[in-house]
Amino acid sequence: MRFTLTQLDNAYRWLCQQRKKFPPDADIWSFRYRYPATMSDLLQEINSGWYRFSPQQKIIKSNGEVIHLWGSQDTLVMKLMAGVLGSILPLSSRCTHIKGHGGLKQTIVDVQNHLSDYKYACKTDIKSFYESIDQYLLMDMINDSVDSGIRNYLYQVIHRCVEYGGEFKDIDQGIPRGCPLSPIFGALYLKALDDHFTDKNLYYVRYMDDILILSKTRWQNRTAVKQLNQMLSKLKVQKHPDKTYIGKTENGFDFLGYHFFRETLKVAAKTWEKHALHIKYPSYLNFGNLVMVFTLLALLRVFASLVSKFDISLFKKSNLCEEGFSVSNCLIIADEFSIDLISLVSSIARLRQIKRRAVDAGSI
């Protein structure tokens, strides 16, 4: 397969957008300076099959978090390949995180629409999914669908090397995070699940490693759980024990950040808790303004009650999902409380307008 200059430019624009807030000493700025003069040679090198990826850089952030970062040029080449691999690989339509397969919002709508037809649910996700993927199993799956030219590049990405302080370490387990190819690798690795549970008188959907199986009888549910465990064992991955639900749909369950129930759909409690934990407190916080802080945190519960109940059709038409999260993002305590309170009040007013429109439409 040969890539075109148009495809390379599209990947370059994506890269510039992704790294526009990188620090001044990041390599993205020197790469952007050189790109106009080197893009033709770079494209020729990629199409010839002679391109080689550099080692990832191990970076320790100020909060102690450790990340492995690809260079800008390598990330550009990965994005270029990701743009065509989605159409080359035989990925299942029931894997909805892939572009063109529905996406998050459509998945939520589809699950809620089918929920009333099924009595039992098995919901789970994979524990440490990216880190648990067996590289050799993944490469065997790739070998069956990709020509040798791209296969060589994909092997370099999967079996990568990390450099830190002059020391180099080969990574022989898992796939890289923050890589444009990783969502495609994840979709391909669990494709056996998608193929097995499709057209079995069940409702099956997968968003990356979040898996949901709906069944009509207890026997179907038990059989599906048994088969799921067997297939995950063959793939050398495990269910996450704290994120697994097996039981009746009438009891409700959390999936993709939402709590699904037969009558209503609402934001999951854990989703609100995560947003509360991401509130940033000022360094000069003292006892005198603790009252203000606890007041703001209490108002977070107001937001939850305002958007806790709405009709699924209104959710689909009015983008209430995006409205809720954009409002929750306003709950950040920065350096000046007066500014935050103004934005907070305006956000509350905005949510009430949304609820009022829903009431007028007869959906709440």
Side-chain angles (χ1 to χ4, degrees):
M1 171 179 293
R2 295 187 64 84
F3 299 99
T4 65
L5 194 59
T6 301
Q7 292 172 326
L8 186 65
D9 282 337
N10 290 337
Y12 173 72
R13 284 193 290 270
W14 172 88
L15 176 68
C16 293
Q17 180 66 23
Q18 290 293 310
R19 300 199 171 188
K20 64 181 181 180
K21 294 185 179 180
F22 271 38
D25 58 346
D27 72 331
I28 179 62
W29 309 114
S30 59
F31 176 72
R32 290 180 63 172
Y33 177 78
R34 300 191 313 268
Y35 176 76
T38 61
M39 59 181 179
S40 298
D41 294 338
L42 175 61
L43 183 62
Q44 183 178 359
E45 185 180 3
I46 296 170
N47 286 328
S48 67
W50 288 103
Y51 185 83
R52 293 294 178 267
F53 290 93
S54 300
Q56 286 184 293
Q57 299 297 311
K58 178 180 176 181
I59 297 176
I60 303 177
K61 303 173 70 173
S62 58
N63 60 1
E65 180 185 0
V66 177
I67 61 172
H68 296 165
L69 186 67
W70 291 99
S72 295
Q73 181 170 289
D74 289 341
T75 304
L76 172 69
V77 177
M78 292 178 213
K79 181 62 178 179
L80 178 65
M81 292 187 293
V84 298
L85 271 183
S87 58
I88 295 177
L89 295 174
L91 303 178
S92 171
S93 61
R94 302 309 299 163
C95 180
T96 58
H97 72 272
I98 296 297
K99 184 178 181 180
H101 290 193
L104 176 64
K105 183 177 175 180
Q106 184 57 46
T107 302
I108 295 170
V109 172
D110 195 50
V111 170
Q112 185 68 13
N113 287 339
H114 286 84
L115 198 59
S116 60
D117 299 330
Y118 297 90
K119 190 174 181 181
Y120 295 93
C122 170
K123 187 274 300 186
T124 188
D125 74 356
I126 309 301
K127 184 178 181 180
S128 303
F129 180 48
Y130 277 10
E131 293 78 10
S132 301
I133 288 179
D134 186 281
Q135 294 183 355
Y136 298 100
L137 286 178
L138 179 59
M139 282 306 304
D140 286 341
M141 300 172 189
I142 291 174
N143 290 339
D144 297 334
S145 306
V146 178
D147 60 53
S148 59
I150 299 182
R151 193 186 310 152
N152 174 47
Y153 290 147
L154 299 182
Y155 179 78
Q156 292 184 55
V157 175
I158 295 170
H159 192 72
R160 60 208 181 276
C161 178
V162 177
E163 184 271 333
Y164 181 69
E167 295 184 357
F168 295 84
K169 180 181 179 181
D170 288 332
I171 307 297
D172 54 9
Q173 177 71 24
I175 60 175
R177 290 188 173 273
C179 169
L181 291 167
S182 293
I184 299 176
F185 291 153
L188 180 64
Y189 194 75
L190 296 181
K191 181 179 179 295
L193 290 180
D194 307 336
D195 295 340
H196 180 79
F197 287 107
T198 302
D199 301 327
K200 283 190 175 294
N201 200 27
L202 303 167
Y203 177 86
Y204 170 86
V205 69
R206 175 169 68 90
Y207 191 91
M208 185 54 78
D209 63 325
D210 290 288
I211 302 166
L212 176 65
I213 305 173
L214 301 179
S215 52
K216 295 183 178 180
T217 66
R218 187 186 300 273
W219 179 84
Q220 283 183 325
N221 190 46
R222 288 180 174 177
T223 302
V225 172
K226 179 181 179 180
Q227 294 173 349
L228 176 64
N229 291 335
Q230 291 173 344
M231 300 190 73
L232 292 181
S233 178
K234 291 180 181 179
L235 293 170
K236 303 180 182 180
V237 293
Q238 298 177 347
K239 299 197 304 290
H240 197 300
D242 298 330
K243 298 180 180 180
T244 298
Y245 172 81
I246 301 173
K248 294 184 177 181
T249 56
E250 64 185 21
N251 296 329
F253 58 90
D254 293 347
F255 183 62
L256 299 179
Y258 291 85
H259 185 75
F260 288 87
F261 195 68
R262 288 197 171 186
E263 287 78 16
T264 60
L265 171 72
K266 61 182 181 180
V267 179
K270 288 185 177 180
T271 304
W272 288 107
E273 291 174 5
K274 288 180 180 179
H275 278 73
L277 290 174
H278 281 84
I279 294 177
K280 298 179 181 179
Y281 300 95
S283 58
Y284 56 84
L285 189 65
N286 53 45
F287 182 79
N289 52 35
L290 274 177
V291 176
M292 181 70 72
V293 172
F294 286 121
T295 301
L296 293 176
L297 292 177
L299 286 174
L300 178 61
R301 303 181 68 181
V302 176
F303 285 136
S305 64
L306 288 176
V307 297
S308 63
K309 182 179 180 181
F310 50 87
D311 186 80
I312 189 65
S313 61
L314 187 70
F315 169 82
K316 184 176 180 180
K317 296 177 182 178
S318 303
N319 292 328
L320 274 177
C321 168
E322 285 80 359
E323 291 285 356
F325 278 103
S326 63
V327 169
S328 65
N329 289 335
C330 294
L331 288 172
I332 297 175
I333 304 175
D335 292 337
E336 297 295 333
F337 280 114
S338 59
I339 298 176
D340 288 328
L341 285 174
I342 292 173
S343 64
L344 188 61
V345 171
S346 66
S347 299
I348 294 174
R350 207 162 118 216
L351 261 181
R352 287 178 173 169
Q353 289 176 359
I354 295 170
K355 184 180 179 182
R356 193 177 301 114
R357 289 200 302 267
V359 172
D360 294 340
S363 300
I364 296 181

